[in-house]
Amino acid sequence: MTESGQRESGKALIKEELRRQRIETPSWAYGNSGTRFKVFAQQGVPRDPYEKLADAAQVHRHTGVAPTVALHIPWDKVDDYADLARHASELGVAIGAINSNVFQDDDYKLGSVTHPDPAVRKKALGHLLECVDIMDQTGSDTLKLWFSDGTNYPGQDDIRARQDRLAEALAAVYERLGEGQRFLLEYKLFEPAFYMTDLPDWGAAYAHCLKLGPKAQVVVDTGHHAPGTNIEFIVAFLLREGKLGGFDFNSRFYADDDLMVGAADPFQLFRIMYEVIRGGGYTGETAFMLDQCHNIEPKIPGQIRSVMNVQEATAKALLVDRDALAAAQREGDVLGANAALMDAYNTDVRPLLAELREEMGLDPDPMAAYARSGYFEKIAAERVGGAQAGWGA
Ligand code: RM4
Ligand code: MN
């Protein structure tokens, strides 16, 4: 084959991979959000889970790669989940991961599943089991567990006993999982607890999951690490152990900022995606989910932009000449190996993605297509009255 023929077939393969990528958007991204200082209301914001799904369907309509929506319980509580799932499918999307919430009740002031009072622990576990019931009704295969549990002061509670309580709850949830269901265990360095978090890092999450079995995997929220943490190392390690269940993608400059993925550090996102591909996570069960809030920017375009950012990082990671990289690594060619990565990162993949979108029957420019669609004007006019959904509702 000629060199240009090879280039064309390489490009076709990359497009094939990009075409099958799936990025899940979170229902809470469509609602109002803010910081602890102020939640800003926006026009046209959904008032219930049905309207959130409609907004998510728009993101899928313009990107073609965001066909599922994560729910957060109880924020997205409805009387009839089968009906909600039907509504999603009429809109051309499906319900994805179920996110549990044991952090917004007065009872959880000192913790949920790690609380010193067994009655509170029982209540928290009850909620987690209820989330599995909901999965049965929506057909979701993934439960995401994030605990705000931790302590603010040295001596406040027994660190080791809290681990025992956590392990006990996780085992009970694990037991309840049905065929084809799994849970993803999320860790976070700090916040809302400031002294000690019960699941502060991937090592703790990994150890709990390892003990439980194959249906327990770790989820990496990119905003949940100390500054400077090498997240791609964590990705490589967990994939090697078959324990990388998925990502909560977002960007951070300082703490858990929940900004658009790829906004703060697109190079880091590229490095992460390279390790995902290298480790077999791209074609495996690693879920690409967004966990973001759009406090000041419009929400639907914010999600579209985020999906595009993930696609761009993925395309660049797919472009890495892995043979050349491996050869340079074998030869100890430090600069050559680094150049193999950087060449891919420095490639402008936007024309390739535009071409792919056209082949998929989409507009090559999803942001412009959404702006032209009239959807925003429609929801701004229609969604008047009623209570707007917000982070926490
Ligand atoms: C947490 C964590 C969870 C998400 C909530 C909204 O910090 O990232 O994944 O469900 O925020
Ligand atoms: Mn998260």
Side-chain angles (χ1 to χ4, degrees), residues 28 72 75 99-100 103 144 146 186 188 221 224 248 256 258 291 391:
W28 54 101
H72 216 296
W75 303 343
N99 286 250
S100 58
F103 50 88
K144 178 132 57 70
W146 176 67
E186 186 166 349
K188 182 174 175 180
D221 184 312
H224 287 189
D248 265 5
D256 184 23
D258 281 343
D291 177 11
W391 190 90

Side-chain angles (χ1 to χ4, degrees), residues 266-311:
F267 182 42
Q268 179 190 59
L269 185 59
F270 159 79
R271 299 190 313 260
I272 290 173
M273 287 311 305
Y274 174 71
E275 288 306 331
V276 169
I277 293 163
R278 162 72 182 84
Y282 191 70
T283 45
E285 52 194 353
T286 303
F288 304 120
M289 301 173 286
L290 305 180
D291 177 11
Q292 302 179 171
C293 289
H294 305 292
N295 301 350
I296 57 169
E297 67 276 26
K299 296 162 197 307
I300 298 171
Q303 287 289 289
I304 294 176
R305 168 57 66 205
S306 305
V307 168
M308 293 171 72
N309 286 353
V310 175
Q311 285 185 295

Side-chain angles (χ1 to χ4, degrees), residues 307-329:
V307 168
M308 293 171 72
N309 286 353
V310 175
Q311 285 185 295
E312 284 172 23
T314 306
K316 290 177 184 213
L318 287 165
L319 270 175
V320 172
D321 183 340
R322 288 177 56 187
D323 292 337
L325 178 62
Q329 289 172 344

